[in-house]
Amino acid sequence: MSNITLTIIKPDAVAKAHTGKIIDHITSAGFKVRAMKMIFLSEREAGAFYDVHRERPFFGDLVRFMTSGPVVPMILEKENAVADFRTLIGATNPANAAEGTIRKLYAESIEANAIHGSDSDENALREAGFFFSELERF
Ligand code: CMP
């Protein structure tokens, strides 16, 4: 079990000025921010990040959405980070997300769903390395 996860505040939530409220929600739940930046992904970069979904029917729309505006990736640290963070953000589709979760509060749709969270310890390490060098982690 690893103690880090990688999150991305997505273009919909950044555009609606929800970044500050979402970071407060995350840190109030006990996660420590170990790395953070604002970045405007290129199509190539977004495609590489979501490479595992390349064959899925929603891949093109997903890349278009993730390159529609700036995003805020962060490395978060907490015991049992991956599972606890997925509980905090709620189901991928906000229509199915539990009350009080970040997606229930801020997401619009399964695509514009406000926030990403790694789905395994292995992917958390890969995704953290995708966005941040050792020099950018604290
Ligand atoms: P995320 O957790 O960032 O990982 C993959 C993303 O694909 C997911 O959030 C959704 O925002 C997006 N997506 C778009 N359409 C679908 C779909 N039909 N099923 C699953 N994920 C989808």
Side-chain angles (χ1 to χ4, degrees):
M1 190 175 78
S2 161
N3 60 351
I4 67 154
T5 192
L6 186 284
T7 187
I8 308 171
I9 303 177
K10 296 189 180 183
D12 57 319
V14 174
K16 289 192 290 185
H18 289 152
T19 303
K21 285 175 285 188
I22 290 174
I23 293 173
D24 183 50
H25 194 122
I26 291 168
T27 54
S28 296
F31 290 84
K32 291 194 164 64
V33 178
R34 294 303 187 198
M36 176 166 65
K37 66 173 80 168
M38 183 180 255
I39 185 171
F40 205 137
L41 292 169
S42 68
E43 281 193 19
R44 190 186 62 77
E45 290 162 344
F49 182 79
Y50 281 118
D51 196 50
V52 64
H53 296 308
R54 199 167 286 276
E55 303 306 322
R56 308 281 287 272
F58 57 82
F59 180 77
D61 286 341
L62 175 60
V63 168
R64 259 187 297 283
F65 167 64
M66 291 299 289
T67 57
S68 65
V71 297
V72 178
M74 293 180 268
I75 298 174
L76 304 174
E77 182 183 328
K78 182 183 178 295
E79 204 176 303
N80 201 30
V82 167
D84 285 2
F85 193 69
R86 288 177 74 81
T87 301
L88 189 75
I89 65 179
T92 305
N93 186 343
N96 304 325
E99 287 301 327
T101 59
I102 292 174
R103 284 175 173 152
K104 187 70 175 186
L105 289 166
Y106 301 112
E108 295 167 23
S109 65
I110 192 166
E111 179 175 270
N113 67 352
I115 193 158
H116 168 83
S118 306
D119 64 3
S120 66
D121 290 342
E122 184 189 359
N123 281 338
L125 293 176
R126 182 187 76 80
E127 293 172 0
F130 182 89
F131 282 108
F132 299 101
S133 73
E134 284 303 315
L135 286 172
E136 296 172 305
R137 301 178 184 205
F138 303 96

